[in-house]
Amino acid sequence: MRMRMLGLAAAGVALAVVVAGYGWWKWSHPGLPDGIAETNGRIEAEQVQVAAKTPGRVMEVLAEEGDFVKAGAVLAKMDTRDTKAQLLQAQAQLVAAQRAKEEAVAAVAQRDAQRTLYRRQFNRVARLNKSGYASNDQLDQMRAQRDAGDAGYNAAVASVNQAAASIEAAKAAVQQIQTVLEDAILVAPRSGRVQYKLIQPGEVVGAGTAILTLLDVSDVYMTVFLPAKMAGGVRLGDEARLVLDPAPQYVIPANVTFVATDAQFTPKSVETSDEREKLMFRIKLNVNRDLLMRYATVVKTGVRGVAYVRYRQGVEWPATLAVKLPDEPR
């Protein structure tokens, strides 16, 4: 089948490469019932970047390209010597704040005792003044002393509150630095295979720099292209079958998880029915996640094969496309 790809610029060139890789199709195939399309594609997986959260020097990279790693496995470590020194300083500030609070609490007890004494003295002088045995000057002096005692007590209470706030701030600083130390140990966010090792030990990287690239073996799919008259009958969740070139004896079940709403490429003119048949729509076929996890250690990407997509409801799969899987790896 000839396809004219006029009117496409650089994006068209790139898409043509994709189509060459994925998208030739067969309108019919001996042995296939009407309603099942056959098209080519290759196995892909979602990529996950394992990146440094903070800038710094990479101390170790513990995984190599091709390694299969489980979720939570340590993949790389950042140099944390400066951060550990900051942690010691923050912890010292926390201890100092706690001691300051203890001293402030003791000061409150002292100021409270003084305040109580000054109030009692003021009350006695006030009674003597009322009976004429103490002068007004003495009463004023005791009043000032009482007020000073109250002010001192309030200041001591404020010091306790300030010390408590300093403790919380110091705790937050310690926690923040501990988080930085935890983030300096880069772990696999999910199980997968290391595709690229991008940074070597000793290199200095910025925040967000990718250290490794993982292929998520629990999210494996094949992208194919079908002409409009076939794609129109494909529904989300429909069954599909994959037969891979390295293992043609097996038939892998898949499901339709995406159908493009717009044609991925079109000819210059779509005025005739023949031209409209050349409108191609992208379809994504995902392999079941539970099935993938059973074969996680042997899943490989980049493998080419043939996809069979049912675009007419009710059509039975032929016996040649009955699901057939290899024995599970030990």
Side-chain angles (χ1 to χ4, degrees):
M1 178 177 294
R2 299 179 58 192
M3 294 183 298
R4 292 182 298 144
M5 302 183 63
L6 303 177
L8 300 177
V13 175
L15 186 55
V17 175
V18 173
V19 174
Y22 296 119
W24 64 269
W25 63 91
K26 298 180 181 179
W27 292 90
S28 62
H29 184 275
L32 276 183
D34 185 25
I36 296 179
E38 177 184 356
T39 180
N40 279 0
R42 65 183 176 89
I43 292 294
E44 299 179 84
E46 289 296 333
Q47 294 187 4
V48 180
Q49 302 290 343
V50 180
K53 187 174 181 180
T54 56
R57 187 182 303 276
V58 179
M59 182 64 70
E60 295 180 88
V61 180
L62 304 175
E64 299 294 335
E65 293 179 354
D67 289 351
F68 181 83
V69 296
K70 292 185 177 181
V74 177
L75 302 182
K77 296 180 180 179
M78 305 292 292
D79 186 354
T80 58
R81 287 173 293 183
D82 291 343
T83 308
K84 287 180 178 178
Q86 294 173 4
L87 178 61
L88 292 176
Q89 182 180 4
Q91 289 173 334
Q93 291 175 346
L94 174 58
V95 172
Q98 291 171 336
R99 290 178 178 175
K101 182 181 178 181
E102 292 173 358
E103 294 174 357
V105 170
V108 167
Q110 181 182 11
R111 294 293 185 179
D112 186 43
Q114 289 180 346
R115 179 183 66 163
T116 301
L117 176 61
Y118 292 156
R119 286 184 174 182
R120 289 175 179 175
Q121 290 177 344
F122 172 77
N123 292 335
R124 285 197 296 267
V125 172
R127 288 195 298 269
L128 292 173
N129 177 263
K130 189 174 182 180
S131 302
Y133 294 103
S135 65
N136 291 334
D137 289 340
Q138 290 176 319
L139 180 62
D140 292 340
Q141 290 176 0
M142 295 310 301
R143 182 182 290 109
Q145 195 174 44
R146 182 202 61 182
D147 293 344
D150 290 343
Y153 173 81
N154 293 335
V157 172
S159 297
V160 172
N161 295 334
Q162 183 177 1
S166 298
I167 290 175
E168 294 303 318
K171 286 182 179 179
V174 170
Q175 185 176 3
Q176 181 181 12
I177 297 173
Q178 288 175 336
T179 301
V180 173
L181 287 174
E182 292 173 1
D183 291 337
I185 300 177
L186 308 182
V187 300
R190 60 192 71 177
S191 298
R193 194 173 301 280
V194 178
Q195 184 181 28
Y196 299 117
K197 179 181 177 180
L198 305 173
I199 299 295
Q200 298 297 328
E203 294 188 53
V204 177
V205 299
T209 301
I211 309 297
L212 297 161
T213 299
L214 289 182
L215 291 176
D216 182 3
V217 296
S218 67
D219 191 356
V220 174
Y221 59 91
M222 180 181 286
T223 300
V224 298
F225 293 85
L226 289 178
K229 74 173 186 178
M230 293 182 178
V234 177
R235 300 186 305 184
L236 292 179
D238 276 354
E239 293 182 353
R241 299 287 189 267
L242 306 179
V243 178
L244 304 181
D245 292 348
Q249 69 274 29
Y250 300 121
V251 179
I252 303 170
N255 292 95
V256 177
T257 57
F258 174 82
V259 179
T261 56
D262 297 318
Q264 301 299 295
F265 57 94
T266 63
K268 183 177 181 180
S269 172
V270 292
E271 295 178 359
T272 67
S273 60
D274 290 339
E275 294 297 336
R276 287 195 298 273
E277 289 174 351
K278 297 178 182 179
L279 296 175
M280 303 299 295
F281 290 80
R282 182 167 66 92
I283 296 175
K284 186 176 179 181
L285 309 175
N286 273 76
V287 182
N288 180 271
R289 185 179 296 268
D290 293 336
L291 176 62
L292 287 168
M293 296 312 298
R294 285 162 51 189
Y295 296 88
T297 58
V298 295
V299 171
K300 292 180 175 63
T301 58
V303 177
R304 295 185 179 275
V306 179
Y308 298 88
V309 184
R310 183 166 58 188
Y311 61 90
R312 185 168 297 161
Q313 302 304 311
V315 176
E316 297 292 334
W317 290 101
T320 55
L321 292 179
V323 174
K324 185 179 181 181
L325 301 173
D327 294 335
E328 294 187 27
R330 296 182 180 178

